[in-house]
Amino acid sequence: MVSEEVRRRLRYVRATGSEDLRRFPDFLIIGPQRTGTTWLHAHLRFHPQVFLSEPKELYFFSSLKTRDPKRFVSDQLGHYLRFFRDPPWRRAAKLALCLRNTGELYRPIVRGEATASYAAMDADLIDDIVALKPDVKALLMIRHPIERAWSHAKKDLVRNAKRRFEDVSADEFRAFFSDPYQRRCAQYAAMAETWERRLRPGHLYVGVFDQIATRPQEMLLDVMRFLGVRADPRYVDPNADSPVNPTAATRIPGEHRAFLAGLFADDLRAARERFGVDWT
C-alpha cells in the first residue's frame, strides 16, 4: 500500500493510500519520440517474463502538469495502476503466443510501460515516480538529433495531418523544429543527467537508435539483462532488424539540414562527450 510518508512526498499524483504498489511498473521506456521506443516495445511485449501495458503510451506522468486535454485523463494513482493487470482474454492471448513462439508459459516477473514524452519531463515529475517506486529502471533511447527531428516533423506535419510533403512550408517545418519541446527532445545528455540523479546507480539504460539496424539481437539481449529477465536469442524475433512505425523515406532538404545543424550543434557535442557517440 501507499504509505502516508509517500503520499506527503507526492506533488502531482493523487493516492488514497489503498493502492497496491506491487502493480507499479518496474521499468519505463522513456523515449523521446522517433528514437525506437515503438520497436523496443514491440520486441519486448511477448517475452514470457515481461508485462507491458496496453496501449503503448499512457502519458500519465507527462500530462500531470500540463493537463493537455488530448493526453490528460486522471491524476489518480488507481487509474494508472489499472493498466498493469491483464484482462483474462489478453492473458490468454499472451499465453498462447508465448507457448507458440518460445514453448514457455507467460509468467511475467517485471512490469513496464513505454511513453516517449517521459524523457523530457521536469525533474519534479520524476521525483513522484521515484517516490512510488524507488528502484524503478528507465530506458532512454537516443538518435541523431537531426534525423530524429526530421522523422518527428514528417510524422506530425505530413503523415498524421494527412498532407503531402510538398504542401508543408519551410516556415512550418522551422516552427516545428524550434518548438521548446522539440528542442528538449534533442538534449539527451541533460535528460540522462536528470534521470540518473534520481535513479539508483545502474538503473538507467541508454540505447542508440542506430543499433536497431546494426546489432538488433545484441541490443535486445542487453535490454533483457538490464531488466533482469532471461536473455536468450530465442526471445528475439528473426525480423528484429525491420523498422516499426516508420515514416516514408524522404531526404532532408539542404536548407532544413543546415538549419537543424545550427540548432543542435551544442546537443551533438554534449551527446558525444556524454555517450561517446559520433554522429558527424
Side-chain angles (χ1 to χ4, degrees):
M1 301 301 177
V2 184
S3 69
E4 186 60 33
E5 178 187 354
V6 170
R7 290 176 66 193
R8 284 197 300 267
R9 291 171 57 193
L10 297 174
R11 296 187 60 182
Y12 302 101
V13 178
R14 299 290 174 255
T16 64
S18 62
E19 297 88 353
D20 185 355
L21 282 178
R22 290 175 298 181
R23 288 197 283 132
F24 196 89
D26 302 288
F27 69 93
L28 304 169
I29 299 172
I30 62 173
Q33 290 92 334
R34 314 308 296 169
T35 58
T37 59
T38 300
W39 174 87
L40 190 56
H41 178 274
H43 288 285
L44 285 177
R45 63 197 295 255
F46 293 118
H47 188 294
Q49 293 184 314
V50 176
F51 172 100
L52 275 163
S53 63
E54 300 288 348
K56 170 183 172 266
E57 297 197 274
L58 302 180
Y59 302 103
F60 179 76
F61 292 102
S62 56
S63 67
L64 287 174
K65 293 177 78 170
T66 64
R67 303 292 173 119
D68 179 352
K70 294 181 180 179
R71 304 297 188 196
F72 177 77
V73 177
S74 172
D75 59 4
Q76 298 295 316
L77 179 61
H79 166 81
Y80 178 64
L81 294 180
R82 70 186 182 92
F83 291 98
F84 296 92
R85 175 178 291 169
D86 278 321
W89 65 268
R90 187 181 295 146
R91 185 173 182 85
K94 289 182 179 179
L95 178 62
L97 282 168
C98 286
L99 285 171
R100 185 190 69 185
N101 295 339
T102 67
E104 295 184 21
L105 294 174
Y106 171 61
R107 290 175 176 167
I109 62 173
V110 295
R111 290 180 171 87
E113 72 135 315
T115 299
S117 53
Y118 288 179
M121 286 194 310
D122 292 340
D124 51 3
L125 288 165
I126 304 172
D127 289 337
D128 269 21
I129 295 173
V130 174
L132 292 162
K133 183 74 173 178
D135 62 346
V136 70
K137 295 180 178 180
L139 296 97
L140 172 67
M141 297 293 291
I142 64 175
R143 180 182 185 179
H144 193 306
I146 294 176
E147 302 292 342
R148 193 218 68 80
W150 180 244
S151 178
H152 201 171
K154 288 191 299 176
K155 176 177 176 288
D156 282 16
L157 299 180
V158 180
R159 191 181 76 183
N160 290 358
K162 296 181 171 57
R163 302 167 71 187
R164 297 184 308 164
F165 171 79
E166 296 79 8
D167 295 333
V168 183
S169 71
D171 287 342
E172 286 180 272
F173 274 115
R174 290 195 176 197
F176 184 90
F177 299 145
S178 303
D179 177 82
Y181 176 74
Q182 294 299 321
R183 292 289 294 112
R184 290 200 303 275
C185 283
Q187 295 165 359
Y188 305 133
M191 290 177 200
E193 175 70 16
T194 300
W195 277 88
E196 202 164 47
R197 290 181 62 181
R198 286 155 180 83
L199 300 177
R200 291 183 176 176
H203 280 218
L204 178 69
Y205 175 92
V206 179
V208 181
F209 177 85
D210 311 66
Q211 296 174 351
I212 294 174
T214 60
R215 52 184 296 270
Q217 176 171 294
E218 292 83 353
M219 185 176 183
L220 285 169
L221 293 174
D222 285 346
V223 169
M224 292 174 199
R225 285 186 282 267
F226 171 75
L227 296 179
V229 298
R230 283 194 298 273
D232 191 299
R234 62 187 168 141
Y235 302 139
V236 179
D237 190 301
N239 298 315
D241 59 347
S242 300
V244 177
N245 192 29
T247 56
T250 308
R251 186 178 180 87
I252 305 177
E255 62 174 322
H256 293 324
R257 180 173 286 280
F259 178 79
L260 288 166
L263 196 64
F264 298 139
D266 291 341
D267 304 313
L268 282 162
R269 183 164 49 252
R272 183 169 59 249
E273 294 172 357
R274 177 68 170 76
F275 308 112
V277 291
D278 185 4
W279 283 316
T280 55

